[in-house]
Amino acid sequence: MSWTLRTADLDDLARGAALLGTGGGGDPFVGKMLVTQALGEAGEITILDPAELDDDAWVIPVAQMGAPTVVVEKMPRGTEPELALITLEKHTGRTADATMPMECGGINSMIPLLVAARRGLPVVDADGMGRAFPQLEMETFSVYGISASPLAMANEHDEVAIFDTGSDNSRLEGLARGVTSRFGGMAHIAQYSMTGADVKRTAIPRTLSLALAIGRSIRLSREQRVDPVQALVDGLADTLYGYGRVLFHGKVIDVDRRTDEGFARGSVRIAGVGDEELEVQFQNENLIAVQSGAMVAIVPDLICIVEADTAEPITTEGLRYGQRVAVIGIATPPIMRTPEALAVFGPASFGLDRPFLPVETLEQPVLAE
């Protein structure tokens, strides 16, 4: 069922979206502030259930592209994603009936809301990842036959670019990444234009609703003095994700983070009880968790790092020495685990030499061969 988003919902939505962003997807505070300002003028936004979307409706997803570390120092002006959408509309000669997120994340679940508030559009309650990924071709849209081209890009100086690589979505990623670097490490994009029928076939449904529910659950558990981390894990059982568990508790003892080729790359080490350690490697998003040499979760399953006492999600750019954290593994939806999907965003796509094993099968860590 479609629903109405108001300013009072934004704290919970940003928190839940940041959790699903698995360390990436942008800073939730920045995303929330951008939408709060736009909603002050629009009042509310319609969140459209994908089942209620007309098959011939024209949907244009929008997002922010670049290394999340850049946004900490280079705040968006707020007009960039709308300009990207307008540029794509002019290029294609077709006007959007709705917009939609490309991924979950503190910013990238919010960017479509910003555009919707400014343009008077509904936002489809779905996305193409059910989490966050660092590259443009890593979408269920791409996996199941939607071209990422044409793509429109815009920056804070009102500079725009259009790319069209036909069906080669990987080539498009490389070209767009280069321009993003020239734009100063951050750009806003509109791409994967599709019909309502295509949305129903290729998107992961109701992820905005889920993010709102997760964020609300964390907040309410704090207010009720219930363990918010356990409440979060317990609440996943009745969702499309179906499974989650706490992988590790401990203190951050080392963060290796660098901005490289438009990505935030690195790793974090977390010390637990005794000699136990967990290392999480990331490329914008958390990719693999290894406990004392044994794998406990791997992409595309979600690896989420949260504050131990509050379950507040911590992005990769927010990791700091001394933080007390819990690491949570969450099963990704079935549409993300098909052979076609794993060929695009499975472990090998990130240069990892481990096979994909579902997090629910790794309750006993799997040692490296």
Side-chain angles (χ1 to χ4, degrees), residues 12-365:
D12 290 340
L13 178 59
R15 182 181 304 111
L19 186 283
L20 292 176
T22 63
D27 187 287
F29 178 78
V30 174
K32 183 181 67 176
M33 290 300 98
L34 289 170
V35 180
T36 298
Q37 182 178 19
L39 264 177
E41 302 174 7
E44 60 184 38
I45 299 169
T46 297
I47 308 298
L48 188 60
D49 190 281
E52 299 176 10
L53 189 62
D54 290 343
D55 283 351
D56 60 354
W58 194 239
V59 181
I60 302 180
V62 292
Q64 179 178 284
M65 181 177 183
T69 46
V70 173
V71 184
V72 176
E73 299 181 2
K74 183 182 178 182
M75 293 283 288
R77 191 173 71 182
T79 59
E80 301 96 327
E82 181 186 11
L83 177 58
L85 182 135
I86 291 170
T87 301
L88 189 58
E89 288 179 328
K90 290 179 179 178
H91 178 75
T92 61
R94 194 161 185 183
T95 302
D97 298 307
T99 187
M100 180 170 63
M102 293 184 196
E103 67 175 6
C104 299
I107 280 183
N108 270 338
S109 289
M110 296 288 177
I111 292 297
L113 304 176
L114 174 63
V115 172
R118 295 177 64 93
R119 300 282 291 171
L121 292 172
V123 177
V124 181
D125 191 358
D127 73 80
M129 298 183 188
R131 47 162 295 157
F133 281 126
Q135 295 178 202
L136 297 181
E137 77 275 19
M138 294 177 172
E139 302 265 0
T140 53
F141 310 145
S142 176
V143 170
Y144 301 110
I146 305 299
S147 176
S149 292
L151 171 147
M153 309 179 70
N155 68 10
E156 72 275 17
H157 302 296
D158 293 335
E159 297 169 336
V160 298
I162 292 279
F163 289 102
D164 191 335
T165 58
S167 60
D168 192 339
N169 293 343
S170 296
R171 171 69 172 162
L172 183 68
E173 156 67 28
L175 293 171
R177 188 71 51 182
V179 172
T180 298
S181 295
R182 290 290 187 178
F183 276 180
M186 183 179 68
H188 289 78
I189 58 175
Q191 64 170 157
Y192 283 109
S193 304
M194 69 186 86
T195 65
D198 286 330
V199 170
K200 296 171 190 177
R201 181 176 60 83
T202 68
I204 299 170
R206 302 173 189 91
T207 47
L208 285 172
S209 295
L210 176 61
L212 180 59
I214 287 173
R216 183 181 292 130
S217 171
I218 293 172
R219 173 176 55 82
L220 291 175
S221 64
R222 295 174 190 168
E223 294 173 358
Q224 297 163 4
R225 300 187 182 278
V226 175
D227 180 357
V229 175
Q230 192 58 51
L232 166 61
V233 170
D234 292 344
L236 292 167
D238 295 327
T239 73
L240 184 64
Y241 295 70
Y243 177 88
R245 79 170 188 277
V246 177
L247 302 175
F248 202 76
H249 281 100
K251 183 181 82 169
V252 174
I253 59 171
D254 186 59
V255 180
D256 172 22
R257 181 176 50 231
R258 61 199 181 279
T259 301
D260 178 30
E261 297 180 336
F263 300 107
R265 302 180 190 266
S267 62
V268 57
R269 288 171 50 221
I270 302 165
V273 176
D275 295 331
E276 290 295 309
E277 278 193 15
L278 184 82
E279 180 176 313
V280 177
Q281 297 177 30
F282 55 81
Q283 180 183 333
N284 288 8
E285 289 77 38
N286 301 318
L287 302 178
I288 183 172
V290 177
Q291 179 180 337
S292 302
M295 184 176 77
V296 293
I298 194 167
V299 66
D301 283 343
L302 286 69
I303 301 166
C304 309
I305 302 176
V306 302
E307 294 178 358
D309 293 334
T310 66
E312 195 69 24
I314 303 173
T315 59
T316 54
E317 69 269 24
L319 290 166
R320 300 289 186 272
Y321 175 84
Q323 290 169 323
R324 301 283 178 175
V325 301
V327 183
I328 301 170
I330 302 173
T332 202
I335 191 174
M336 304 279 287
R337 290 178 166 184
T338 66
E340 298 90 341
L342 292 175
V344 176
F345 41 67
S349 302
F350 299 94
L352 299 172
D353 60 0
R354 305 274 192 136
F356 171 69
L357 295 173
V359 65
E360 61 269 29
T361 71
L362 293 175
E363 293 193 11
Q364 295 298 320

